[in-house]
């Protein structure tokens, strides 16, 4: 499932990351993140992969459950140890 702008904002909030921090950690420009989160443009697949990877390294898990809707949560320590 594609990353949604709302999931990007929520994941940054969980990790207390600014757009600048995410850009640096993911290796993309801050304007790419800003424009995506403001619905100005969609992400290229490669940029999306970089953002998702940075978030997952930071401990975020993305949720794409059809009945509950999309979301994000922090991985539990138990899940990280598996």
């Amino acid at each position: 499932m594609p990353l949604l702008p709302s999931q990007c904002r929520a994941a940054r909030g969980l990790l207390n990351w600014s757009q600048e921090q995410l850009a640096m950690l993911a290796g993309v420009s801050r304007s790419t993140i800003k424009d995506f989160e403001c619905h100005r443009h969609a992400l290229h697949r490669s940029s999306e992969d970089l953002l998702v990877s940075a978030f997952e390294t930071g401990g975020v898990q993305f949720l794409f459950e059809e009945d509950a809707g999309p979301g994000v949560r922090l991985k539990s320590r138990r899940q990280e140890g598996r």
Side-chain angles (χ1 to χ4, degrees):
M1 296 289 297
L3 178 66
L4 301 173
S6 57
Q7 287 176 302
C8 189
R9 289 189 304 270
R12 283 194 311 103
L14 283 173
L15 297 171
N16 198 28
W17 287 357
S18 67
Q19 289 178 342
E20 292 83 8
Q21 287 172 300
L22 175 57
M24 182 187 69
L25 293 167
V28 300
S29 71
R30 182 188 163 278
S31 64
T32 294
I33 296 165
K34 178 183 170 194
D35 290 346
F36 173 64
E37 288 185 351
C38 293
H39 299 271
R40 288 194 184 110
H41 69 73
L43 291 172
H44 292 285
R45 184 67 186 164
S46 59
S47 296
E48 180 180 29
D49 290 344
L50 292 168
L51 292 179
V52 169
S53 179
F55 283 133
E56 288 177 342
T57 298
V60 169
Q61 181 178 10
F62 292 93
L63 309 173
F64 296 101
E65 300 167 10
E66 288 186 29
D67 56 336
V72 296
R73 69 179 174 200
L74 290 176
K75 295 177 188 173
S76 70
R77 295 286 180 211
R78 201 170 69 229
Q79 285 177 317
E80 290 176 357
R82 289 184 188 173

PDB file of all heavy atoms in Angstrom, residues 20-42:
ATOM      1  N   GLU A  20      12.820  18.502   8.406  1.00  0.00           N
ATOM      2  CA  GLU A  20      14.253  18.555   8.129  1.00  0.00           C
ATOM      3  C   GLU A  20      14.961  17.282   8.587  1.00  0.00           C
ATOM      4  O   GLU A  20      15.817  16.749   7.880  1.00  0.00           O
ATOM      5  CB  GLU A  20      14.898  19.774   8.799  1.00  0.00           C
ATOM      6  CG  GLU A  20      14.483  21.100   8.213  1.00  0.00           C
ATOM      7  CD  GLU A  20      13.148  21.620   8.766  1.00  0.00           C
ATOM      8  OE1 GLU A  20      12.598  21.034   9.731  1.00  0.00           O
ATOM      9  OE2 GLU A  20      12.647  22.597   8.213  1.00  0.00           O
ATOM     10  N   GLN A  21      14.602  16.802   9.783  1.00  0.00           N
ATOM     11  CA  GLN A  21      15.219  15.576  10.297  1.00  0.00           C
ATOM     12  C   GLN A  21      14.888  14.385   9.408  1.00  0.00           C
ATOM     13  O   GLN A  21      15.762  13.581   9.075  1.00  0.00           O
ATOM     14  CB  GLN A  21      14.755  15.291  11.727  1.00  0.00           C
ATOM     15  CG  GLN A  21      15.362  16.222  12.750  1.00  0.00           C
ATOM     16  CD  GLN A  21      14.724  16.012  14.113  1.00  0.00           C
ATOM     17  OE1 GLN A  21      13.511  16.176  14.268  1.00  0.00           O
ATOM     18  NE2 GLN A  21      15.534  15.646  15.087  1.00  0.00           N
ATOM     19  N   LEU A  22      13.627  14.269   9.028  1.00  0.00           N
ATOM     20  CA  LEU A  22      13.227  13.166   8.161  1.00  0.00           C
ATOM     21  C   LEU A  22      13.957  13.248   6.820  1.00  0.00           C
ATOM     22  O   LEU A  22      14.454  12.238   6.325  1.00  0.00           O
ATOM     23  CB  LEU A  22      11.714  13.166   7.937  1.00  0.00           C
ATOM     24  CG  LEU A  22      11.185  12.139   6.949  1.00  0.00           C
ATOM     25  CD1 LEU A  22      11.573  10.720   7.343  1.00  0.00           C
ATOM     26  CD2 LEU A  22       9.675  12.279   6.805  1.00  0.00           C
ATOM     27  N   ALA A  23      14.043  14.435   6.265  1.00  0.00           N
ATOM     28  CA  ALA A  23      14.731  14.609   4.983  1.00  0.00           C
ATOM     29  C   ALA A  23      16.177  14.141   5.083  1.00  0.00           C
ATOM     30  O   ALA A  23      16.669  13.428   4.204  1.00  0.00           O
ATOM     31  CB  ALA A  23      14.668  16.071   4.550  1.00  0.00           C
ATOM     32  N   MET A  24      16.848  14.530   6.145  1.00  0.00           N
ATOM     33  CA  MET A  24      18.246  14.145   6.321  1.00  0.00           C
ATOM     34  C   MET A  24      18.379  12.630   6.482  1.00  0.00           C
ATOM     35  O   MET A  24      19.226  11.999   5.846  1.00  0.00           O
ATOM     36  CB  MET A  24      18.838  14.850   7.549  1.00  0.00           C
ATOM     37  CG  MET A  24      20.304  14.542   7.780  1.00  0.00           C
ATOM     38  SD  MET A  24      20.925  15.226   9.319  1.00  0.00           S
ATOM     39  CE  MET A  24      20.057  14.226  10.512  1.00  0.00           C
ATOM     40  N   LEU A  25      17.534  12.039   7.310  1.00  0.00           N
ATOM     41  CA  LEU A  25      17.624  10.602   7.571  1.00  0.00           C
ATOM     42  C   LEU A  25      17.230   9.756   6.362  1.00  0.00           C
ATOM     43  O   LEU A  25      17.759   8.662   6.167  1.00  0.00           O
ATOM     44  CB  LEU A  25      16.764  10.230   8.776  1.00  0.00           C
ATOM     45  CG  LEU A  25      17.257  10.786  10.115  1.00  0.00           C
ATOM     46  CD1 LEU A  25      16.177  10.640  11.183  1.00  0.00           C
ATOM     47  CD2 LEU A  25      18.536  10.088  10.539  1.00  0.00           C
ATOM     48  N   ALA A  26      16.307  10.258   5.562  1.00  0.00           N
ATOM     49  CA  ALA A  26      15.837   9.502   4.404  1.00  0.00           C
ATOM     50  C   ALA A  26      16.643   9.793   3.139  1.00  0.00           C
ATOM     51  O   ALA A  26      16.575   9.035   2.179  1.00  0.00           O
ATOM     52  CB  ALA A  26      14.367   9.801   4.154  1.00  0.00           C
ATOM     53  N   GLY A  27      17.361  10.907   3.141  1.00  0.00           N
ATOM     54  CA  GLY A  27      18.134  11.257   1.957  1.00  0.00           C
ATOM     55  C   GLY A  27      17.304  11.865   0.842  1.00  0.00           C
ATOM     56  O   GLY A  27      17.575  11.647  -0.335  1.00  0.00           O
ATOM     57  N   VAL A  28      16.268  12.611   1.222  1.00  0.00           N
ATOM     58  CA  VAL A  28      15.439  13.332   0.252  1.00  0.00           C
ATOM     59  C   VAL A  28      15.415  14.805   0.653  1.00  0.00           C
ATOM     60  O   VAL A  28      15.852  15.169   1.740  1.00  0.00           O
ATOM     61  CB  VAL A  28      13.994  12.780   0.185  1.00  0.00           C
ATOM     62  CG1 VAL A  28      13.986  11.311  -0.213  1.00  0.00           C
ATOM     63  CG2 VAL A  28      13.257  12.969   1.498  1.00  0.00           C
ATOM     64  N   SER A  29      14.875  15.644  -0.206  1.00  0.00           N
ATOM     65  CA  SER A  29      14.814  17.071   0.116  1.00  0.00           C
ATOM     66  C   SER A  29      13.637  17.369   1.039  1.00  0.00           C
ATOM     67  O   SER A  29      12.633  16.650   1.036  1.00  0.00           O
ATOM     68  CB  SER A  29      14.707  17.912  -1.154  1.00  0.00           C
ATOM     69  OG  SER A  29      13.428  17.754  -1.735  1.00  0.00           O
ATOM     70  N   ARG A  30      13.782  18.423   1.823  1.00  0.00           N
ATOM     71  CA  ARG A  30      12.698  18.844   2.701  1.00  0.00           C
ATOM     72  C   ARG A  30      11.475  19.241   1.873  1.00  0.00           C
ATOM     73  O   ARG A  30      10.337  18.978   2.260  1.00  0.00           O
ATOM     74  CB  ARG A  30      13.125  20.014   3.583  1.00  0.00           C
ATOM     75  CG  ARG A  30      12.023  20.445   4.540  1.00  0.00           C
ATOM     76  CD  ARG A  30      12.400  21.739   5.270  1.00  0.00           C
ATOM     77  NE  ARG A  30      11.255  22.355   5.867  1.00  0.00           N
ATOM     78  CZ  ARG A  30      10.389  23.141   5.222  1.00  0.00           C
ATOM     79  NH1 ARG A  30      10.534  23.386   3.950  1.00  0.00           N
ATOM     80  NH2 ARG A  30       9.367  23.667   5.852  1.00  0.00           N
ATOM     81  N   SER A  31      11.687  19.857   0.712  1.00  0.00           N
ATOM     82  CA  SER A  31      10.559  20.269  -0.123  1.00  0.00           C
ATOM     83  C   SER A  31       9.767  19.062  -0.623  1.00  0.00           C
ATOM     84  O   SER A  31       8.543  19.151  -0.789  1.00  0.00           O
ATOM     85  CB  SER A  31      11.026  21.143  -1.284  1.00  0.00           C
ATOM     86  OG  SER A  31      11.867  20.421  -2.145  1.00  0.00           O
ATOM     87  N   THR A  32      10.436  17.940  -0.831  1.00  0.00           N
ATOM     88  CA  THR A  32       9.728  16.717  -1.229  1.00  0.00           C
ATOM     89  C   THR A  32       8.745  16.311  -0.135  1.00  0.00           C
ATOM     90  O   THR A  32       7.583  15.996  -0.409  1.00  0.00           O
ATOM     91  CB  THR A  32      10.731  15.573  -1.500  1.00  0.00           C
ATOM     92  OG1 THR A  32      11.519  15.923  -2.634  1.00  0.00           O
ATOM     93  CG2 THR A  32      10.029  14.244  -1.741  1.00  0.00           C
ATOM     94  N   ILE A  33       9.192  16.347   1.105  1.00  0.00           N
ATOM     95  CA  ILE A  33       8.334  15.975   2.231  1.00  0.00           C
ATOM     96  C   ILE A  33       7.221  17.000   2.416  1.00  0.00           C
ATOM     97  O   ILE A  33       6.046  16.647   2.570  1.00  0.00           O
ATOM     98  CB  ILE A  33       9.174  15.822   3.515  1.00  0.00           C
ATOM     99  CG1 ILE A  33      10.160  14.662   3.342  1.00  0.00           C
ATOM    100  CG2 ILE A  33       8.274  15.609   4.729  1.00  0.00           C
ATOM    101  CD1 ILE A  33      11.254  14.621   4.358  1.00  0.00           C
ATOM    102  N   LYS A  34       7.583  18.266   2.392  1.00  0.00           N
ATOM    103  CA  LYS A  34       6.590  19.337   2.568  1.00  0.00           C
ATOM    104  C   LYS A  34       5.495  19.247   1.503  1.00  0.00           C
ATOM    105  O   LYS A  34       4.310  19.295   1.824  1.00  0.00           O
ATOM    106  CB  LYS A  34       7.283  20.693   2.502  1.00  0.00           C
ATOM    107  CG  LYS A  34       6.356  21.855   2.627  1.00  0.00           C
ATOM    108  CD  LYS A  34       7.126  23.164   2.476  1.00  0.00           C
ATOM    109  CE  LYS A  34       6.163  24.321   2.361  1.00  0.00           C
ATOM    110  NZ  LYS A  34       6.833  25.530   1.896  1.00  0.00           N
ATOM    111  N   ASP A  35       5.892  19.126   0.241  1.00  0.00           N
ATOM    112  CA  ASP A  35       4.912  19.061  -0.845  1.00  0.00           C
ATOM    113  C   ASP A  35       4.048  17.811  -0.754  1.00  0.00           C
ATOM    114  O   ASP A  35       2.852  17.853  -1.032  1.00  0.00           O
ATOM    115  CB  ASP A  35       5.615  19.115  -2.201  1.00  0.00           C
ATOM    116  CG  ASP A  35       6.214  20.479  -2.499  1.00  0.00           C
ATOM    117  OD1 ASP A  35       5.882  21.455  -1.795  1.00  0.00           O
ATOM    118  OD2 ASP A  35       7.034  20.565  -3.430  1.00  0.00           O
ATOM    119  N   PHE A  36       4.629  16.692  -0.347  1.00  0.00           N
ATOM    120  CA  PHE A  36       3.856  15.457  -0.184  1.00  0.00           C
ATOM    121  C   PHE A  36       2.848  15.596   0.951  1.00  0.00           C
ATOM    122  O   PHE A  36       1.669  15.293   0.780  1.00  0.00           O
ATOM    123  CB  PHE A  36       4.795  14.278   0.061  1.00  0.00           C
ATOM    124  CG  PHE A  36       4.081  13.004   0.404  1.00  0.00           C
ATOM    125  CD1 PHE A  36       3.241  12.390  -0.508  1.00  0.00           C
ATOM    126  CD2 PHE A  36       4.251  12.407   1.642  1.00  0.00           C
ATOM    127  CE1 PHE A  36       2.581  11.202  -0.201  1.00  0.00           C
ATOM    128  CE2 PHE A  36       3.601  11.229   1.965  1.00  0.00           C
ATOM    129  CZ  PHE A  36       2.760  10.627   1.044  1.00  0.00           C
ATOM    130  N   GLU A  37       3.304  16.071   2.098  1.00  0.00           N
ATOM    131  CA  GLU A  37       2.414  16.181   3.254  1.00  0.00           C
ATOM    132  C   GLU A  37       1.291  17.196   3.032  1.00  0.00           C
ATOM    133  O   GLU A  37       0.224  17.069   3.623  1.00  0.00           O
ATOM    134  CB  GLU A  37       3.208  16.554   4.504  1.00  0.00           C
ATOM    135  CG  GLU A  37       4.054  15.425   5.017  1.00  0.00           C
ATOM    136  CD  GLU A  37       4.753  15.732   6.320  1.00  0.00           C
ATOM    137  OE1 GLU A  37       4.741  16.897   6.784  1.00  0.00           O
ATOM    138  OE2 GLU A  37       5.337  14.797   6.896  1.00  0.00           O
ATOM    139  N   CYS A  38       1.515  18.173   2.167  1.00  0.00           N
ATOM    140  CA  CYS A  38       0.496  19.188   1.865  1.00  0.00           C
ATOM    141  C   CYS A  38      -0.328  18.822   0.633  1.00  0.00           C
ATOM    142  O   CYS A  38      -1.072  19.664   0.118  1.00  0.00           O
ATOM    143  CB  CYS A  38       1.159  20.547   1.660  1.00  0.00           C
ATOM    144  SG  CYS A  38       1.897  21.223   3.138  1.00  0.00           S
ATOM    145  N   HIS A  39      -0.170  17.610   0.142  1.00  0.00           N
ATOM    146  CA  HIS A  39      -0.918  17.104  -1.021  1.00  0.00           C
ATOM    147  C   HIS A  39      -0.614  17.879  -2.297  1.00  0.00           C
ATOM    148  O   HIS A  39      -1.445  17.960  -3.190  1.00  0.00           O
ATOM    149  CB  HIS A  39      -2.429  17.135  -0.755  1.00  0.00           C
ATOM    150  CG  HIS A  39      -2.850  16.282   0.389  1.00  0.00           C
ATOM    151  ND1 HIS A  39      -3.192  14.958   0.244  1.00  0.00           N
ATOM    152  CD2 HIS A  39      -2.999  16.562   1.723  1.00  0.00           C
ATOM    153  CE1 HIS A  39      -3.525  14.464   1.420  1.00  0.00           C
ATOM    154  NE2 HIS A  39      -3.412  15.410   2.327  1.00  0.00           N
ATOM    155  N   ARG A  40       0.584  18.466  -2.401  1.00  0.00           N
ATOM    156  CA  ARG A  40       0.951  19.182  -3.623  1.00  0.00           C
ATOM    157  C   ARG A  40       1.386  18.220  -4.724  1.00  0.00           C
ATOM    158  O   ARG A  40       1.227  18.527  -5.892  1.00  0.00           O
ATOM    159  CB  ARG A  40       2.055  20.194  -3.339  1.00  0.00           C
ATOM    160  CG  ARG A  40       1.557  21.375  -2.556  1.00  0.00           C
ATOM    161  CD  ARG A  40       2.564  22.514  -2.573  1.00  0.00           C
ATOM    162  NE  ARG A  40       2.060  23.583  -1.733  1.00  0.00           N
ATOM    163  CZ  ARG A  40       2.582  23.924  -0.564  1.00  0.00           C
ATOM    164  NH1 ARG A  40       3.642  23.284  -0.089  1.00  0.00           N
ATOM    165  NH2 ARG A  40       2.066  24.893   0.141  1.00  0.00           N
ATOM    166  N   HIS A  41       1.994  17.102  -4.338  1.00  0.00           N
ATOM    167  CA  HIS A  41       2.359  16.085  -5.323  1.00  0.00           C
ATOM    168  C   HIS A  41       2.549  14.742  -4.646  1.00  0.00           C
ATOM    169  O   HIS A  41       2.783  14.660  -3.448  1.00  0.00           O
ATOM    170  CB  HIS A  41       3.611  16.471  -6.128  1.00  0.00           C
ATOM    171  CG  HIS A  41       4.889  16.469  -5.332  1.00  0.00           C
ATOM    172  ND1 HIS A  41       5.513  15.320  -4.916  1.00  0.00           N
ATOM    173  CD2 HIS A  41       5.652  17.497  -4.888  1.00  0.00           C
ATOM    174  CE1 HIS A  41       6.607  15.637  -4.245  1.00  0.00           C
ATOM    175  NE2 HIS A  41       6.718  16.945  -4.210  1.00  0.00           N
ATOM    176  N   ALA A  42       2.445  13.701  -5.454  1.00  0.00           N
ATOM    177  CA  ALA A  42       2.688  12.339  -4.962  1.00  0.00           C
ATOM    178  C   ALA A  42       4.192  12.086  -4.950  1.00  0.00           C
ATOM    179  O   ALA A  42       4.960  12.792  -5.590  1.00  0.00           O
ATOM    180  CB  ALA A  42       1.992  11.336  -5.877  1.00  0.00           C
TER     181      ALA A  42
END
